């Protein structure tokens, strides 16, 4: 398979990666998060237009495998597994999340968040995630912390999210790896 960095439909993502990596490092620093020992299992995109999502989908199909396609929150979300990773900080992401546009308007089309897996019970996710972040950092203006429990159509594992964002990039925390969640959907068939 071809390297994702040479696929024509993905050149805007190649160009956007340094911006994302820098913004992610700045956000982590602001909230006092030491990312070095954490397991981030995937990286995600955001876009405003269906045409952009469809172009990226075509591009990822040229360089990877469509691992899962489901509807969450009323919009399609594709997961791709790449043989050649997307490198950010110390992570080598081979799992890419491509959500179609929803009702929320994002300030930038491109790389938007990483998802860190904090194994443990879903009920204690918020406490475990917040313990990794500094109170001083979280009280800064322009930062927000949100919790959600998005659910796929056939998902059996509760996979709540705690997200920290500066409006440009986001760091999300989950109790389960995305592959475990997808496996729970397939087990329900």
């Amino acid at each position: 398979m071809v390297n994702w960095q040479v696929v024509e439909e993905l050149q805007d993502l190649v160009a956007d990666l340094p911006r994302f990596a820098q913004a992610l490092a700045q956000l982590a620093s602001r909230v006092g998060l030491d990312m070095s020992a954490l397991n981030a299992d995937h990286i995600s995109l955001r876009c405003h237009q269906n045409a952009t999502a469809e172009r990226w989908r075509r591009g990822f199909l040229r360089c990877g495998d469509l691992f899962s396609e489901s509807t969450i929150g009323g919009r399609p979300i594709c997961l791709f597994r790449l043989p050649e990773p997307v490198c950010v900080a110390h992570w080598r992401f081979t799992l890419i999340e491509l959500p179609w546009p929803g009702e929320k308007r994002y300030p930038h089309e491109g790389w938007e968040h990483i998802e860190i897996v904090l194994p443990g019970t879903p009920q204690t996710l918020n406490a475990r995630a917040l313990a990794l972040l500094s109170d001083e950092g979280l009280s800064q203006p322009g930062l927000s912390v949100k919790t959600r429990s998005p659910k796929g159509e056939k998902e059996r594992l509760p996979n709540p999210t705690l997200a920290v964002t500066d409006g440009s990039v986001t760091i999300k925390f989950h109790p389960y790896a995305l592959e475990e969640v997808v496996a729970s959907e397939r087990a329900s068939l």
Side-chain angles (χ1 to χ4, degrees):
M1 263 200 195
V2 67
N3 183 319
W4 73 274
Q5 295 180 26
V6 300
V7 174
E8 182 180 337
E9 293 92 341
L10 304 177
Q11 288 308 294
D12 53 341
L13 298 178
V14 172
D16 189 47
L17 196 57
R19 176 215 57 91
F20 175 76
Q22 181 179 13
L24 183 68
Q26 288 171 340
L27 176 59
S29 177
R30 282 182 73 187
V31 298
L33 179 64
D34 178 5
M35 298 188 300
S36 64
L38 298 173
N39 172 34
D41 79 328
H42 70 279
I43 186 170
S44 186
L45 298 158
R46 288 293 184 255
C47 60
H48 305 306
Q49 301 177 50
N50 288 339
T52 304
E54 290 161 8
R55 175 173 50 84
W56 288 345
R57 184 182 195 279
R58 282 191 314 274
F60 284 120
L61 285 171
R62 292 183 56 206
C63 62
D65 295 317
L66 182 60
F67 173 61
S68 172
E69 192 166 12
S70 60
T71 301
I72 299 175
R75 63 192 175 136
I77 296 185
C78 292
L79 302 176
F80 294 93
R81 191 176 282 124
L82 303 180
E84 187 65 35
V86 176
C87 298
V88 176
H90 64 285
W91 294 302
R92 297 173 55 82
F93 294 103
T94 56
L95 198 55
I96 311 300
E97 179 181 41
L98 169 56
W100 259 239
E103 293 189 19
K104 184 176 177 185
R105 186 96 173 137
Y106 288 87
H108 177 80
E109 287 193 308
W111 302 107
E112 195 269 339
H113 72 261
I114 60 163
E115 300 199 14
I116 294 172
V117 179
L118 296 179
T121 65
Q123 295 81 3
T124 63
L125 173 72
N126 289 354
R128 288 181 285 118
L130 290 171
L132 298 172
L133 308 170
S134 76
D135 291 341
E136 182 182 311
L138 290 175
S139 65
Q140 292 180 30
L143 293 180
S144 69
V145 178
K146 296 178 184 175
T147 57
R148 289 186 46 216
S149 291
K151 192 167 171 86
E153 296 171 321
K154 300 174 188 109
E155 193 173 297
R156 295 295 174 251
L157 283 178
N159 201 30
T161 303
L162 183 133
V164 178
T165 187
D166 62 5
S168 171
V169 296
T170 303
I171 300 170
K172 294 186 177 187
F173 300 90
H174 291 281
Y176 298 107
L178 202 50
E179 294 199 35
E180 291 177 275
V181 174
V182 172
S184 80
E185 292 172 353
R186 292 184 175 151
S188 72
L189 296 177

